[in-house]
């Protein structure tokens, strides 16, 4: 492997795309051509190295982001293969948080699909330089130019082809390199390992010349030397083009576009060349910034000799080992036996083992240093998003935002003996996956597990039963509703009680008012210290916020409300924190009941791709599900329909869509927002949950 002291020779990249665009197949080919694997694994056979979980092999999809390391042209590449299914979007989020560059894989037939947009936006959020790989050029309906146009239109990117395909569909022969002005043909007998370099054939000459001209035109916008040569009609060398492309890619000005067919072993080696040529090393990305002990900004350069700064971006647990903590080291190094400090938890951790990962295989190493990704074993206090630094140092890196779960199911052990095992296993999984939560229903005492979608919970239940061997009964999925209010209301809470020799006295007057959707919960104090001393404000806030966990309608969390403390009184001797906490809770409960409480439900952003013939049936079905159509557009013979639909209506949608379109349509959806449930529907839900 490349010596880590030369960080120019390291690439930390992710592979991201819509489900079924060919991410995992592309990764499998990368491992094969770099010598990391000695035979080709296939997703459809369940033999893909990176899809190592049983659940992934059964379903043919990626669920968990898998990490591996390989070498290409004496450069070290750390790769994370991320999921494409929207239920596992958290895996993409946390992978992108620690990567320097990414390959966005697009299907040459489907182009830019809905989940492609989601992952692209996530990469935008972290300012990650990208290259695009238009895959499946051998498939019927493959259209390279259409895909490039969609990247520009739907993603707002600036795609610049550095290759064009030689032919398409069954006639796809190879790729034409616009920079080196040559054609590459990948020999099928040697599984694409032998590459024949040819002159660009006459039939592609015109297309090649036009595409190269576009490449130079686009680069001229970012590079003065190329602009001068372009205007003077002077030859621009390949090395000048590579240099300008790299500079513009790292500045997020352009996205180089390559093409091929990973499944047919065509174009993957040139994609690896693209990773080396265009994507950043740890030295090319800006120094990591964090918060110091006094809230000041602390900057750390990517240097193995600097102070240690690392971010734990994922925890993984299985039934055989302790927690594995995936860490990206930004500066300094971590060595076996080191004692490191977690400033978030204010705890010291000892490093007992360090692993380099190849999917689910592990290779023990003595240290990992700046620019590298590895896994630590034996951390006791650290969770996802925590920073690790040297003992005596203090820096907290920006953590990650995790979405709230939108769907839940009740789960219970089959016997009392299984209860402890179930609780321990659920706690393990919740630690590993921050988008999964475990709560207990206050009224029924039932344990509720919640996640990002039906498939997400299905996988977790599958792991519980088969991987962790826990016997449990699982209920049907339930929507995670929330509650809010519609009017402004004031209320008083007074707790005045004698307990033993000492009394307990707390008295508050509050005002509750609605906020805009998505603004959460706010608390402000408008009282004078003469009415209520400042030392009791914390207890009042805790009492109020704690009570908002259970709304007045059916006990779902109350959100999008502002609570103002506007009055009250205290007693010199008898007022206590506990009394004021109880008074605050009493006041908020009274106010919420009188403030016109309303039920909120999660609404999903749905995209359906269907042949023209079925668009009427699809629209009628969505209308029957209280859906709101927000757009329909044509892509060839397909119609792409976008709609906002309540999650409560979407259970089992894949089955109904398949039967309505003879299995020819597909869909994807992700959480959009919470919205008020119509009055009649809300009444039915409230009655059903209360058991009336």
């Amino acid at each position: 492997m490349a010596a880590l002291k030369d960080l120019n020779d390291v690439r930390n990249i992710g592979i991201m795309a819509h489900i079924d665009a060919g991410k995992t197949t592309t990764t499998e080919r990368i491992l094969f051509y770099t010598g990391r694997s000695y035979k080709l694994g296939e997703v459809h056979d369940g033999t893909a190295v990176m899809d190592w979980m049983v659940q992934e092999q059964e379903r043919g999809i990626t669920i968990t982001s898998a990490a591996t390391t390989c070498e290409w042209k004496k450069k070290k590449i750390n790769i994370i293969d991320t999921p494409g299914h929207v239920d596992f979007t958290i895996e993409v989020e946390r992978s992108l948080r620690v990567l320097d560059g990414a390959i966005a894989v697009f299907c040459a037939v489907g182009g830019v699909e809905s989940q492609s947009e989601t992952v692209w936006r996530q990469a935008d959020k972290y300012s990650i330089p990208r290259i695009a790989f238009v895959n499946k050029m051998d498939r019927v309906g493959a259209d390279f130019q259409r895909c490039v146009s969609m990247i520009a239109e739907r993603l707002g990117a600036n795609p610049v082809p550095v290759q064009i395909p030689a032919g398409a569909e069954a006639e796809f022969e190879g790729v034409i390199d616009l920079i080196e002005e040559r054609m590459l043909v990948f020999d099928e007998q040697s599984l694409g390992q032998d590459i024949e370099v040819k002159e660009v054939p006459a039939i592609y000459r015109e297309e090649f010349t036009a595409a190269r001209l576009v490449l130079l035109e686009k680069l001229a916008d970012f590079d003065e030397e190329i602009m001068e040569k372009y205007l003077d009609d002077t030859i621009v060398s390949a090395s000048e083009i590579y240099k300008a492309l790299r500079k513009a890619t790292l500045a997020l000005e352009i996205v180089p576009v390559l093409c091929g067919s990973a499944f047919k072993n065509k174009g993957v080696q040139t994609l690896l060349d693209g990773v080396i040529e265009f994507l950043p090393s740890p030295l090319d990305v800006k120094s990591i910034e964090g918060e110091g002990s006094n809230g000041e900004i602390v900057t750390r350069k990517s240097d193995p000799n600097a102070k240690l700064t690392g971010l734990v971006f994922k925890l993984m647990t299985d039934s055989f080992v302790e927690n594995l903590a995936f860490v990206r080291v930004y500066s300094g190094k971590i060595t076996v036996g080191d004692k490191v400090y977690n400033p978030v938890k204010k705890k010291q951790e000892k490093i007992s083992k360090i692993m380099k990962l190849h999917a689910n295989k592990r290779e023990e190493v003595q240290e990992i240093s700046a620019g590298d990704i590895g896994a630590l074993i034996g951390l006791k206090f650290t969770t996802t998003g925590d920073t690790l630094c040297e003992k005596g140092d203090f820096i907290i890196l920006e953590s990650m935002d995790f979405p709230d779960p939108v769907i839940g199911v009740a789960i219970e052990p089959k016997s009392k003996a299984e209860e402890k095992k179930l609780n321990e296993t659920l706690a393990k999984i919740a630690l590993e996956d921050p988008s999964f939560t475990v709560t207990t229903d206050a009224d029924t005492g039932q344990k509720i597990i919640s996640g990002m979608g039906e498939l997400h919970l299905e996988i977790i239940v599958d792991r519980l039963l088969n991987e962790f061997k826990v016997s449990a009964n699982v209920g049907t999925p339930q929507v995670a509703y929330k509650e809010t209010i519609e009017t402004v209301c004031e209320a008083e809470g007074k707790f005045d009680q004698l307990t033993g020799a000492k009394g307990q006295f707390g008295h508050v007057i509050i005002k509750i008012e609605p906020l805009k959707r998505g603004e959460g919960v706010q608390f402000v104090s408008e009282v004078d210290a003469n009415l209520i001393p400042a030392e009791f404000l914390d207890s009042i806030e805790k009492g109020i916020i704690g009570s908002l966990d259970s709304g007045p309608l059916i006990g779902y969390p109350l959100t999008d409300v502002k609570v103002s403390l506007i009055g009250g009184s205290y007693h010199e001797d008898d007022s206590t924190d506990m009394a004021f906490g109880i008074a605050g809770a009493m006041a908020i409960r009274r106010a919420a009941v009188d403030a016109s409480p309303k039920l909120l439900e999660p609404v999903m952003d749905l995209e359906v791709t269907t042949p023209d013939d079925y668009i009427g049936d699809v629209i009628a079905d969505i209308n029957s599900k209280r859906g709101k159509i927000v757009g329909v557009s044509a892509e060839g013979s397909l119609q792409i329909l976008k709609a906002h639909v309540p999650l409560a209506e979407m259970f089992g949608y894949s089955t109904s869509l398949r039967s309505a379109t003879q299995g020819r349509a597909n869909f994807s959806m992700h959480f959009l927002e919470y919205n008020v449930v119509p009055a009649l529907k809300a009444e039915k839900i409230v009655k059903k949950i209360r058991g009336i």
Side-chain angles (χ1 to χ4, degrees), residues 88-253:
F88 307 101
T89 192
I90 184 71
E91 286 287 334
V92 185
E93 178 87 17
R94 57 184 172 189
S95 300
L96 289 174
R97 171 68 181 81
V98 297
L99 294 170
D100 300 327
I103 301 170
V105 180
F106 299 96
C107 170
V109 183
V112 176
E113 295 164 280
S114 58
Q115 186 62 5
S116 314
E117 292 186 54
T118 306
V119 294
W120 195 270
R121 282 196 300 271
Q122 286 173 302
D124 281 342
K125 178 176 159 186
Y126 293 116
S127 302
I128 290 177
R130 277 145 275 180
I131 59 177
F133 181 60
V134 178
N135 191 24
K136 304 192 177 185
M137 279 307 307
D138 59 306
R139 289 268 303 275
V140 174
D143 188 334
F144 179 73
Q145 281 308 331
R146 173 176 160 267
C147 196
V148 173
S149 302
M150 287 177 82
I151 294 171
E153 288 159 18
R154 293 185 68 167
L155 304 177
N158 184 12
V160 179
V162 293
Q163 296 174 346
I164 56 170
E169 302 182 347
E171 273 73 56
F172 178 57
E173 294 178 73
V175 300
I176 296 169
D177 183 339
L178 302 178
I179 304 173
E180 308 259 4
E181 304 184 65
R182 58 190 185 168
M183 176 167 159
L184 304 174
V185 179
F186 301 84
D187 175 49
E188 292 189 19
Q189 295 300 314
S190 66
L191 298 174
Q193 289 181 93
D194 295 337
I195 304 170
E196 187 187 347
V197 180
K198 300 162 71 170
E199 268 193 32
V200 179
I203 54 164
Y204 299 121
R205 201 81 213 172
E206 193 179 319
E207 191 187 341
F208 160 75
T209 307
R212 185 173 160 86
L213 207 58
V214 170
L215 169 63
L216 292 173
E217 272 174 14
K218 291 228 180 176
L219 285 180
D221 292 341
F222 307 108
D223 192 285
E224 284 184 18
E225 287 175 31
I226 289 185
M227 181 182 274
E228 282 173 24
K229 289 196 169 186
Y230 176 69
L231 294 173
D232 293 343
D233 217 7
T234 314
I235 291 171
V236 184
S237 71
S239 61
E240 288 171 313
I241 295 175
Y242 280 125
K243 188 180 164 192
L245 271 168
R246 181 175 183 80
K247 188 175 151 195
T249 305
L250 298 188
L252 304 178
E253 298 283 1

Side-chain angles (χ1 to χ4, degrees), residues 608-624:
V608 181
T609 305
T610 175
D612 287 339
D613 307 354
Y614 306 106
I615 187 73
D617 294 339
V618 171
I619 289 174
D621 188 33
I622 288 170
N623 286 335
S624 73

